[in-house]
Amino acid sequence: MTYRIAIVGLGKIAQDQHIPAIATSDRFELVAAATHAGHADGIALFRTVDELLAADLALDAVAMCQPPQARFEAAAKAIRAGKHVLLEKPPGATLAEVEALTRLSDAAGTTLFAAWHSRYAPGVADARAWLTERRVNRVEIVWKEDVRRWHPGQQWIWEPGGLGVFDPGINALSIATLVLPRHFFLKDGTLEIPANRAAPIAAELHMVGMSGAPVHAVFDWRQTGPQTWDITVETDDGTLRLSHGGSKMTIDGVEHGVGPEREYPGMYAHFARLIEQGRSDVDRAPLRLVADAFLRCRQVQVDAFED
């Protein structure tokens, strides 16, 4: 069966990832979008979610790609209209919002999918399988990139609910919460917040696993030149490293073949399976760690940042 889907928000992530992934999918057909800006050829365009849902248009699902601060009301309306909903990461501006959407979806009998796209990077499944049978001794996460390169002019990321450096950092946490075989939690850390912004530009988190293994993470949006997206896991049977955002995997320095890049196509394939099976997948673990960081970490003011 092919599902007719609409996108809400035709920003950079929708243009770069969602539209191409849907175009190559044999399970979804893009038929419409609701957006204040942006354009896509060959589909119906609406200004608001209300106009989209009120239109005489056969529609099965909606992908929510707008900033998280604006996502809840649109997603709730789509669920109440009987549509299956995909939530781009993070699934909401708060944990309570995501809980509310989950309850709405359960009551409506629709599928709700918190789409952590980095979990579909080629090396992630193999890393999870390798780590399952091993004892983890230490984890080091380094996620450093240039905000001017990846988020040009996007002011919403600096506002409350936009997460700041945790917008990319939550990708690392989504991988770690999937591949590490045991639960881990935040102990303390530091958030560096520019004097003219409401969200952090850098963060250091000290976390710990149930066995006592330290899980240390450093996120920074000020890195120029080569970008760093690495997770290193030291075990009692060797060291595994996921690099390039999970697209490469090495064990004790030896690279293991993990296949081609298919993050968003893999994500949409999973969404289709959920709809077929009448299930939802709304893992809140990565967002919970970020929320805990705002609760538990020391906040330090740093120099003002201008785009």
Side-chain angles (χ1 to χ4, degrees), residues 203-223:
E204 182 175 14
L205 306 183
H206 297 282
M207 299 169 282
V208 63
M210 297 297 289
S211 64
V215 181
H216 178 244
V218 176
F219 307 132
D220 202 317
W221 249 348
R222 298 167 296 196
Q223 177 149 304

Side-chain angles (χ1 to χ4, degrees), residues 3 6 21 114-115 141 155 176 186 246 265:
Y3 300 106
I141 301 170
Q155 297 305 308
L186 179 70

Side-chain angles (χ1 to χ4, degrees), residues 156-180:
W156 61 266
I157 56 176
W158 297 108
E159 296 299 325
L163 302 189
V165 75
F166 286 112
D167 180 77
I170 205 170
N171 294 335
L173 296 174
S174 75
I175 295 173
T177 51
L178 183 68
V179 303
L180 296 178

Side-chain angles (χ1 to χ4, degrees), residues 78-241:
I79 291 168
R80 290 188 176 108
K83 311 306 178 187
H84 307 296
V85 170
L86 179 153
L87 302 169
E88 176 57 82
K89 64 86 187 173
T94 68
L95 286 164
E97 283 186 357
V98 182
E99 177 65 25
L101 292 177
T102 301
R103 296 186 184 197
L104 282 174
S105 179
D106 288 346
T110 61
T111 290
L112 183 65
F113 178 32
W116 302 107
H117 65 82
S118 290
R119 289 181 169 181
Y120 301 89
V124 172
D126 289 349
R128 183 185 188 189
W130 191 83
L131 289 169
T132 297
E133 302 299 326
R134 290 165 173 84
R135 177 183 175 86
V136 172
N137 296 325
R138 178 176 176 80
V139 181
E140 186 71 28
I141 301 170
V142 181
W143 223 256
K144 297 181 178 181
E145 62 180 53
D146 183 355
V147 65
R148 292 185 176 94
R149 176 177 172 183
W150 300 103
H151 297 276
Q154 295 181 10
Q155 297 305 308
W156 61 266
I157 56 176
W158 297 108
E159 296 299 325
L163 302 189
V165 75
F166 286 112
D167 180 77
I170 205 170
N171 294 335
L173 296 174
S174 75
I175 295 173
T177 51
L178 183 68
V179 303
L180 296 178
R182 301 190 69 185
H183 175 73
F184 63 96
F185 57 94
L186 179 70
K187 291 181 66 179
D188 57 54
T190 302
L191 307 183
E192 297 185 24
I193 302 177
N196 59 336
R197 304 291 184 175
I201 195 168
E204 182 175 14
L205 306 183
H206 297 282
M207 299 169 282
V208 63
M210 297 297 289
S211 64
V215 181
H216 178 244
V218 176
F219 307 132
D220 202 317
W221 249 348
R222 298 167 296 196
Q223 177 149 304
T224 58
Q227 310 285 276
T228 304
W229 302 295
D230 296 342
I231 299 176
T232 303
V233 186
E234 299 174 10
T235 79
D236 57 356
D237 190 29
T239 298
L240 178 145
R241 172 171 289 181

